[in-house]
Amino acid sequence: MELTATTTIRKPPPKVYAFWRDLGNLPTFMAHLEEIRTTGDRTSHWSATAPFGKNVEWDAEIVDEAPGETIAWRSTGKADVPNAGTVRFVPAPDGVSTEVHVVLSYDIPGGAIGKAVARYFGEEPHQQLDDDLRRLKQVMETGQVVRSDGAPWGKRARKEFPQRPAQPLSDSELAKGADA
Amino acid sequence: MRANTWAGRNKVEVRDVPDPKILNDRDAIVRITSTAICGSDLHLLDGYVPTMQDGDIMGHEFMGEVIEVGQGVDPGRLRVGDRVVVPFPIACGACGACAAELYSCCENSNPNAGIAEKMFGHPVAGIFGYSHLTGGFAGGQAQYARVPFADVGPLKIESDLTDEQVLFLSDILPTGYMGAEMCDIQSTDVVAVWGAGPVGQFAMDSARVLGAAKVIAIDKEPYRLQMAERAGHTPVNFEEVDVRSRLLELTGGRGPDKCIDAVGMEASHGSAHIHAYDRVKQAVRSETERPHALRQAILSCRSGGIVSVIGVYGGFLDKFPAGAWMNRALTLRTGQCHVQRYMNPLLQRIERGEIDPTRVITHTLPLDQAERGFEIFKNKQDHCEKVVLKP
């Protein structure tokens, strides 16, 4: 399965590139990622959240990069879901912004994992990547993922429909959300 | 705290809810001193805006005192103790739309942008108390509100103007003003305004301030037309006269140079069978709008004129007079108001006495009587024009 998405961010390409190249930043806006640990100059260890099943982890390596322009990576070793990605940072016509173009590809296996992955992406697999890039834009332009009372949990918002009502959270809801 | 909440179609209820808390670094918490019921709240009440949920706090016109700020708020912009009017669109100030002063199209302030995008093609800004389509933000018909991007939107009031003089900078005064501004008004222009509700009244006042030769008010409620007439505008009652003929009379057969639709999706109409057509289509949700005012504005406008739309539309409409629009070289301009763009200049006009926003206030009620406020406003009882609520 191949997913593509694009957004325009009002920051110059070197800045957006640098944020993405620091792979530890990816889980701040990509819904399915729990953590990325850098293990070498081009190697890293990725872990993904519950929808993929418990403790889905894999190693990845950067296979191509051009500072300020592009980064390409792929999973290595025996990943449960072999995957690869490319992101390009293209100067926008306005002279101040960056067009971010992302392509992700997943080699979805058969069996239980394949079913879980298919269920996770649902009928609209593009929606998640679109939302990921929206949050990247929020983080780059405003400093944080934007929260509302109806959608207070940032990158987990997708799972929250119908949402909680648009009224402030109680202390217990707030406490529960913080470590969930 | 106490807050007025949506409790299903045609029902609001003041309830006890938790106090708001800072969720993002650039939030502020405002203790609300005055808030209002907007005509567009009636579209929510009537159930014509999708994605409302039981318990949603309503209200997007409010002002008050800052009692807490997040760690990311620049103290040079906003501090605890400041008295502020809060604009209804939530805008980040940093995206491409905000850079172009299109604040109501902010690309970052709507956490539910994915849903809005499906409805509108591209997402729109977050709005306080205005459904989950615009973010699921708690509204301002409450004792307190959380205000995101508090270093961008809120306007500080440092003079001794009363709440009533500045409250409407949050929405209806800038909305009416933008309606007139989009008309590129010339000194020879006759401007016709459909709807003599509060936004329509401010569109009329703004058209005059911007130099229109004559301003015409179209409505069916005599008390609303009288209010417009007292402010110097020419009333036309569409239940008593044929609007098109009357407009031709008032303009020497040319038609108004500029037309403003300050009605939107729930218009009433003099023509029973067209009204019935739209009522039925809207009731079965195969058309979301009853766009009589817009159709009539397009058909009435002089060739080459501008039709400016500030009444709220949410979805799809039927029988759009595309032939009149195209063949007679009309320009159609619209938008949810980019309030942040107009707050300061309009505050100055209020200070100079050029516009008196208090003239539309007919009722002031305690917040706990919000339900009654909605009822009299919706049913136009007791000559209700604008309800201010005091938490």
Side-chain angles (χ1 to χ4, degrees), chain A residues 104-115:
Chain A
L104 298 183
S105 53
Y106 296 90
D107 194 359
I108 297 179
I113 290 178
K115 276 187 186 154

Side-chain angles (χ1 to χ4, degrees), chain A residues 41-149:
Chain A
D41 187 31
R42 293 190 150 214
T43 55
S44 49
H45 185 76
W46 300 42
S47 61
T49 44
F52 278 130
K54 284 242 153 114
N55 300 323
V56 175
E57 302 191 15
W58 66 93
D59 289 312
E61 66 172 350
I62 289 177
V63 291
D64 186 26
E65 63 180 322
E69 292 174 20
T70 187
I71 305 169
W73 67 94
R74 69 171 176 219
S75 59
T76 57
K78 283 195 172 171
D80 291 322
V81 184
N83 63 86
T86 305
V87 55
R88 289 183 303 120
F89 306 93
V90 182
D94 68 359
V96 290
S97 303
T98 304
E99 292 178 4
V100 179
H101 298 269
V102 182
V103 183
L104 298 183
S105 53
Y106 296 90
D107 194 359
I108 297 179
I113 290 178
K115 276 187 186 154
V117 172
R119 200 164 49 239
Y120 178 60
F121 281 114
E123 288 173 8
E124 294 180 273
H126 286 267
Q127 186 67 51
Q128 186 192 313
L129 187 56
D130 285 346
D131 288 343
D132 286 344
L133 291 192
R134 242 192 284 281
R135 284 184 290 268
L136 168 67
K137 180 176 163 71
Q138 290 170 0
V139 170
M140 293 296 309
E141 291 182 342
T142 79
Q144 280 184 315
V145 173
V146 178
R147 291 154 193 267
S148 72
D149 316 86

Side-chain angles (χ1 to χ4, degrees), chain A residues 10 124 127 134 137-138 141-142 144-151 161-171 174, chain B residues 17-19 21 24-26 53 55-57 94-95 99 107-108 112-115 117-118 132 135-136 138 146:
Chain A
R10 211 173 142 76
E124 294 180 273
Q127 186 67 51
R134 242 192 284 281
K137 180 176 163 71
Q138 290 170 0
E141 291 182 342
T142 79
Q144 280 184 315
V145 173
V146 178
R147 291 154 193 267
S148 72
D149 316 86
F161 276 92
Q163 299 188 329
R164 63 181 306 288
Q167 58 172 255
L169 288 83
S170 64
D171 290 330
L174 209 57
Chain B
V17 300
D19 288 346
K21 293 155 197 83
N24 280 118
D25 289 349
R26 290 163 66 191
Q53 288 184 210
D56 286 353
I57 299 177
C95 65
E107 296 156 13
N108 286 319
N112 297 331
I115 325 171
E117 195 172 58
K118 286 190 179 66
H132 291 254
R146 162 186 172 251

Side-chain angles (χ1 to χ4, degrees), chain B residues 41 135 159 193 196 247 269 319 336:
Chain B
D41 287 334
S159 59
V193 180
L247 289 176
H269 196 278
K319 303 214 175 332
Q336 282 282 8

